[in-house]
Amino acid sequence: MNSLQLAQLLTQKYKTETHKPKNISRNQNYLTPNIRPTETYIYQSTRATLHSNKGSILDISSMTVNTILGQNDPWVKANLIAYLQSDRPSFLSTRFGSEYYYKTARLIAKHSFIDNPVVNHRQCNGSDATELAILAAYNASSKPHKTLISFYGSYHGQNLTSYFVSDLQRHNIFLVNNTQANIKFFHPPTNEIAENQILENIHHLRKFTFGIILEPIQVNNNIYTFSQRFLQKLKALCDQEDIALIFDEIQTAYGWLGKMTASEYFNVKPNITALSKGITSGFGPLAAIVANKKYQEIPYGTGEKTNGADIRSLVASTAVYQRLLGIPESQIPHNLPDYLHQELSTGLLAKVPQKSRIITHYTNKIQKTFSPKDLKITGLLLLCGLTFTDKSKAQKAYQLLMDQNIYIRLSANTLIIKPALTINDQELSYALEKIFITLKQILPHSQAPNIPKPATQQLKPHYSHLSTLF
Ligand SMILES: Cc1ncc(COP(=O)(O)O)c(C=O)c1O
């Protein structure tokens, strides 16, 4: 009996109806309080819709950061099932290569927007990737008294290095003496004068500075977006002064800006990029750094061995790249329904402009209805923030939306809209309309303007013929 036959015998076990958690309030006590869910549980999910004991919930924030393809993407799943059904290796240490080990590295490198790229992909989380990026930069530098530059409002994760280099995590530094850490923070600039001042200050520190780490968009800092002008000047300064420019693209890569990376969107080539989350769209643990060859030496004992990339995550990741970029005709199975064939061959990045038009329609309406004293729109394209002046109102809006089964993310004063690319136009419009109506309940407003809606595409029977794939 092979695993497919065995799996068929187990099908009943995973049938949706039989998959409701029991004794929720008792079982919650098995979890630490910070990861204890509410009593809402999800028993089925497709794209951006989650079916729960509280009804259907629309996820407008891609599970708060990472599922660029939403839930249960059939292409990724089909590839995983097919891979698992084979007798190819299920795990390998980095001593051995295999097709997907190389294939994923090639894809990450090719779409990284870095010159002469090398990849370290690892079965780890984003925090470890930012740490490794800093280590690679540190290792390559021969400067004395090495200093790293970071920005206030930054968030780079949850390990010791991240605590030191993220402004928002510095309160977590404990156990270690931080007097040795040579990290300099700058305020994210709010205008060109401030930008030039920072560049001048960095110039003063150039003899000691080995690296600068930043998120092109600081999602946890009310979606603060660095200007293209600043990033380009910063890059020129880094090139001139032999400083490694590190982009933490854990929030910005994989499609929300209509490109594979923010680097590509801003047309700025960093020396090292940290990636994770969207890389498998939630289908497995994987993070990576891509670095210019100059930064390829990683000290012995880090970024290797048991952290070798999990093969299933590599398979998932290549499928995610294919979904975003489009799949060559020769690799698409025959006899798929036309709409599915078209979506697989075109790739989802092509859908970003249309979805962005829908979001812009509502953000224009919001800007015309509410005072900028109460609410500002931040972010770009499908990574968009509603930043409240009054944090308690942001919390109220969040709660009201959750009560209406719209799952949005709240970070600091900002409600974050970051939908999966598989959300359909109707779902997106529906959620944005609910957000607009909710804002009207909370904030003083003028008459809503009559702005013509962009044409939306008809609701498609998306993957309703999925079973024909398998
Ligand atoms: C910008 C950024 N960097 C790093 C991280 C850390 O990633 P992880 O939580 O996978 O360790 C995150 C997580 O949200 C992030 O948003």
Side-chain angles (χ1 to χ4, degrees), residues 275-287:
L275 299 164
S276 82
K277 297 191 188 283
I279 197 167
T280 63
S281 192
F283 275 102
L286 191 68

Side-chain angles (χ1 to χ4, degrees), residues 1-12 14 79-90 312:
M1 177 174 274
N2 66 29
S3 51
L4 190 61
Q5 290 160 333
L6 195 53
Q8 264 154 5
L9 297 178
L10 295 176
T11 311
Q12 194 59 29
Y14 293 102
N79 276 279
L80 279 170
I81 292 168
Y83 187 90
L84 288 174
Q85 167 52 18
S86 75
D87 51 10
R88 293 203 191 188
S90 52
R312 288 147 298 189

Side-chain angles (χ1 to χ4, degrees), residues 222-386:
N222 297 324
I223 315 212
Y224 168 84
T225 305
F226 285 94
S227 77
Q228 183 184 41
R229 175 186 58 214
F230 177 70
L231 292 175
Q232 287 177 342
K233 286 187 193 167
L234 187 65
K235 163 70 179 159
L237 178 60
C238 287
D239 281 349
Q240 188 187 306
E241 301 300 340
D242 194 19
I243 297 169
L245 182 60
I246 304 168
F247 278 4
D248 175 346
E249 288 238 34
I250 287 163
Q251 288 277 356
T252 46
Y254 297 107
W256 285 279
L257 302 182
K259 304 281 181 200
M260 290 305 280
T261 55
S263 323
E264 187 182 345
Y265 177 83
F266 287 116
N267 194 21
V268 175
K269 291 185 168 181
N271 301 104
I272 309 176
T273 300
L275 299 164
S276 82
K277 297 191 188 283
I279 197 167
T280 63
S281 192
F283 275 102
L286 191 68
I289 64 161
V290 203
N292 171 273
K293 280 218 164 59
K294 181 177 170 194
Y295 300 95
Q296 71 177 350
E297 294 303 332
I298 294 169
Y300 180 75
T302 48
E304 55 180 304
K305 298 225 165 132
T306 47
N307 290 320
D310 175 291
I311 288 177
R312 288 147 298 189
S313 299
L314 297 174
V315 172
S317 176
T318 57
V320 170
Y321 271 87
Q322 290 181 327
R323 282 290 273 132
L324 294 175
L325 296 161
I327 304 165
E329 283 295 324
S330 60
Q331 291 177 34
I332 301 178
H334 300 301
N335 306 327
L336 295 186
D338 282 352
Y339 69 87
L340 180 53
H341 187 104
Q342 198 197 337
E343 179 165 315
L344 291 178
S345 67
T346 313
L348 290 166
L349 287 188
K351 293 193 166 187
V352 171
Q354 161 69 6
K355 300 206 185 303
S356 172
R357 274 193 290 280
I358 297 173
I359 294 183
T360 307
H361 167 78
Y362 282 95
T363 50
N364 284 344
K365 212 160 116 163
I366 288 169
Q367 269 170 330
K368 293 201 163 93
T369 309
F370 304 99
S371 162
K373 284 197 205 110
D374 296 321
L375 188 72
K376 288 196 179 63
I377 308 289
T378 49
L380 293 168
L381 289 129
L382 303 193
L383 177 39
C384 170
L386 306 174

Side-chain angles (χ1 to χ4, degrees), residues 63-76:
M63 277 293 106
T64 84
V65 275
N66 56 4
T67 53
I68 185 74
L69 303 181
Q71 303 278 330
N72 276 314
D73 185 80
W75 181 251
V76 183

